[in-house]
């Protein structure tokens, strides 16, 4: 049975509502170390050098603290579809966070757009939704957009039925159609189960 499109938003919210503990666990990562290597891959792939940042799918705001610890000047905007995540981030002192419903256009333009973990779930009604989101993120970035994905090369035993496993080669062809400056990093995850793509202006 085909699910209505909005079910992806419901699944995301339900997934995070079922998690408890430190912020990295609430965000859905397996460990604080794995969250950190993903953040490092995002900033490295984008050539991040400080500036205005949109954190698309900010969750509890851990990327804000990671960027702050890099000691580069930046202005942060965080958006998330889950109001509980927005409340949690704001309660931790993360500035300028707000709710953005699924499908709504994000505000303004930014030097960098980062998307960490927002492409977790597959969508049977819109199986290539992540390409539309990446193109939208590229259009509102001045310098680069970077996003991470669960890899199609992930072992079957480490997969979940409703998750999205993206093919790096498909993303590479998509990136090349948008810009001649892009990179894919498939080397940082210890099991090779994750990759990051950056589209660079």
């Amino acid at each position: 049975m085909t699910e209505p499109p909005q079910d992806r938003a419901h699944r995301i919210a339900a997934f995070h509502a079922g998690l408890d503990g430190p912020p990295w666990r609430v965000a859905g990562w397996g460990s604080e170390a794995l969250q950190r290597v993903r953040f490092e891959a995002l900033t490295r792939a984008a050539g991040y050098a400080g500036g205005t940042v949109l954190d698309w799918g900010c969750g509890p705001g851990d990327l804000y603290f990671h960027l702050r610890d890099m000691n580069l000047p930046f202005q942060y905007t965080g958006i998330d579809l889950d109001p509980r995540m927005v409340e949690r981030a704001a309660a931790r002192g993360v500035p300028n966070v707000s709710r953005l419903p699924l499908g709504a256009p994000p505000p303004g333009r930014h030097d960098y757009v980062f998307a960490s973990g927002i492409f977790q779930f597959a969508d049977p009604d819109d199986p290539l939704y992540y390409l539309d989101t990446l193109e939208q993120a590229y259009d509102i970035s001045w310098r680069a957009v970077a996003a991470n994905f669960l890899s199609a090369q992930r072992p079957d035993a480490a997969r979940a039925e409703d998750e999205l496993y993206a093919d790096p080669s498909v993303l590479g062809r998509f990136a090349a159609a948008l810009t001649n400056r892009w990179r894919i990093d498939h080397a940082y995850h210890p099991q090779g189960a994750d990759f990051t793509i950056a589209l660079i202006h």
Side-chain angles (χ1 to χ4, degrees):
M1 179 176 177
T2 303
E3 299 170 317
Q6 195 62 23
D7 266 12
R8 177 158 46 93
H10 295 159
R11 280 182 290 158
I12 292 168
F15 171 77
H16 292 289
L19 301 174
D20 199 6
W24 58 263
R25 183 176 294 146
V26 172
W29 300 118
S31 70
E32 186 175 16
L34 285 175
Q35 181 190 60
R36 184 169 54 254
V37 298
R38 287 177 169 99
F39 288 168
E40 290 169 350
L42 287 174
T43 55
R44 182 173 60 248
Y48 175 68
T52 57
V53 172
L54 176 66
D55 184 2
W56 193 333
C58 64
D62 283 342
L63 180 60
Y64 166 76
F65 296 105
H66 182 82
L67 297 175
R68 189 186 65 180
D69 290 345
M70 293 180 73
N71 294 317
L72 294 168
F74 75 106
Q75 293 179 321
Y76 176 91
T77 300
I79 55 174
D80 202 283
L81 62 83
D82 188 341
R84 291 168 297 185
M85 287 293 193
V86 172
E87 292 171 7
R88 184 182 286 258
R92 299 176 70 204
V94 179
N96 199 23
V97 291
S98 60
R99 181 176 181 269
L100 186 78
L102 189 68
R109 294 197 70 178
H110 312 267
D111 292 322
Y112 300 93
V113 178
F114 294 122
S116 183
I118 72 169
F119 301 120
Q120 178 182 2
F121 290 105
D123 190 332
D125 281 342
D126 190 7
L128 298 179
Y129 76 90
Y130 57 96
L131 299 183
D132 292 335
T133 302
L134 275 181
E135 185 169 1
Q136 189 176 23
Y138 182 72
D139 288 343
I140 63 168
S141 64
W142 293 111
R143 298 183 184 176
V145 53
N148 51 36
F149 287 88
L150 302 175
S151 175
Q153 298 183 30
R154 178 179 286 243
D156 290 344
R159 296 189 181 208
E161 185 177 351
D162 59 349
E163 288 186 326
L164 170 67
Y165 299 97
D167 186 334
S169 65
V170 171
L171 268 297
R173 291 193 295 273
F174 169 79
L178 278 183
T179 175
N180 60 3
R181 303 185 66 223
W182 56 276
R183 61 173 61 99
I184 289 179
D185 182 353
H186 204 294
Y188 58 87
H189 194 281
Q191 287 85 44
D194 194 280
F195 70 93
T196 289
I197 185 168
L199 310 173
I200 303 163
H201 289 274

